[in-house]
Amino acid sequence: MSAISKKICMVGDFGVGKTSLIRRFVERQFNDKYLSTVGVKISRKTVELADIKQQDQLNVQLLIWDIEGHTKFKAIAPTYLQGAAGAVIVGDFSRQETLDRIPEHIQLFLSVNPKGFIVIALNKADLVDEEKVEKLLFNYQFNDHERVIQTYPTSAKTGIHVDELFEKLSYRIVESA
């Protein structure tokens, strides 16, 4: 069994649930109290992947960089993004302006890491009705970006699609290496 380490960045506006998604994925917990991330916080989680090439198990240690989402931070964000193999770009279903800024976040991440991969998490799916989830999901696919793998409706509260998006991103990063 082999192991590799990869840097993943959580990118998005403040209050979209980046930290909550990480807590759900890493610690299997949810807390609805909002705590603003200052600068960056790094979490670790090992993901076990079936190694397609070797027919073996592959452990990928994800170093997940939770980057603060305030706009004044944009000037130093590229420093934190440097060296990332992938990003989870997060928008909030209940705040349209956060969804409208997703293309900016994609562009910023790819300007620093042109070979990186991205998954989109439209978070807080538990707060909107299913019809709205489907409509917004359709509108935010980003199929024109070859580096954007997939868009997921997520909820840090219920855990829907959280593990799946990190695993999908991990597989794509490992496959391309």
Side-chain angles (χ1 to χ4, degrees):
M1 181 172 5
S2 52
I4 58 172
S5 185
K6 294 292 179 181
K7 177 180 175 180
I8 304 292
C9 292
M10 300 294 285
V11 181
D13 292 354
F14 72 93
V16 295
K18 297 181 299 291
T19 303
S20 294
L21 286 169
I22 293 169
R23 282 196 72 191
R24 169 60 71 184
F25 178 62
V26 174
E27 302 169 17
R28 299 285 182 239
Q29 294 179 356
F30 175 76
N31 186 337
D32 58 4
K33 289 183 177 54
Y34 177 71
L35 292 171
S36 184
T37 302
V38 178
V40 67
K41 179 180 185 277
I42 302 170
S43 300
R44 296 173 195 267
K45 168 111 181 195
T46 300
V47 178
E48 292 180 7
L49 304 175
D51 188 352
I52 302 156
K53 298 170 190 162
Q54 303 285 321
Q55 306 284 318
D56 192 10
Q57 195 74 19
L58 177 67
N59 285 340
V60 180
Q61 182 184 58
L62 298 179
L63 302 172
I64 307 167
W65 287 48
D66 184 4
I67 300 173
E68 82 173 79
H70 295 284
T71 47
K72 64 183 180 193
F73 179 70
K74 279 196 171 132
I76 55 172
T79 306
Y80 287 134
L81 295 173
Q82 231 164 16
V88 178
I89 296 180
V90 186
D92 178 344
F93 267 122
S94 63
R95 291 172 39 221
Q96 183 63 44
E97 70 275 9
T98 70
L99 302 175
D100 293 341
R101 277 196 283 279
I102 290 174
E104 274 179 54
H105 297 304
I106 292 171
Q107 196 279 323
L108 175 62
F109 177 77
L110 292 176
S111 72
V112 177
N113 300 293
K115 293 185 176 177
F117 290 100
I118 295 170
V119 291
I120 308 293
L122 302 183
N123 199 30
K124 304 184 186 181
D126 58 294
L127 298 180
V128 296
D129 65 64
E130 212 171 298
E131 192 175 299
K132 185 174 181 182
V133 168
E134 290 303 316
K135 182 180 178 228
L136 288 171
L137 196 57
F138 178 79
N139 291 335
Y140 290 92
Q141 284 304 307
F142 302 100
N143 294 331
D144 54 334
H145 286 276
E146 67 180 53
R147 300 315 241 170
V148 177
I149 303 166
Q150 194 165 343
T151 301
Y152 291 92
T154 61
S155 167
K157 186 174 187 175
T158 67
I160 186 168
H161 298 297
V162 176
D163 287 356
E164 186 180 337
L165 76 85
F166 281 102
E167 288 169 11
K168 181 92 168 198
L169 184 57
S170 298
Y171 265 113
R172 182 58 67 91
I173 290 167
V174 168
E175 283 175 348
S176 71

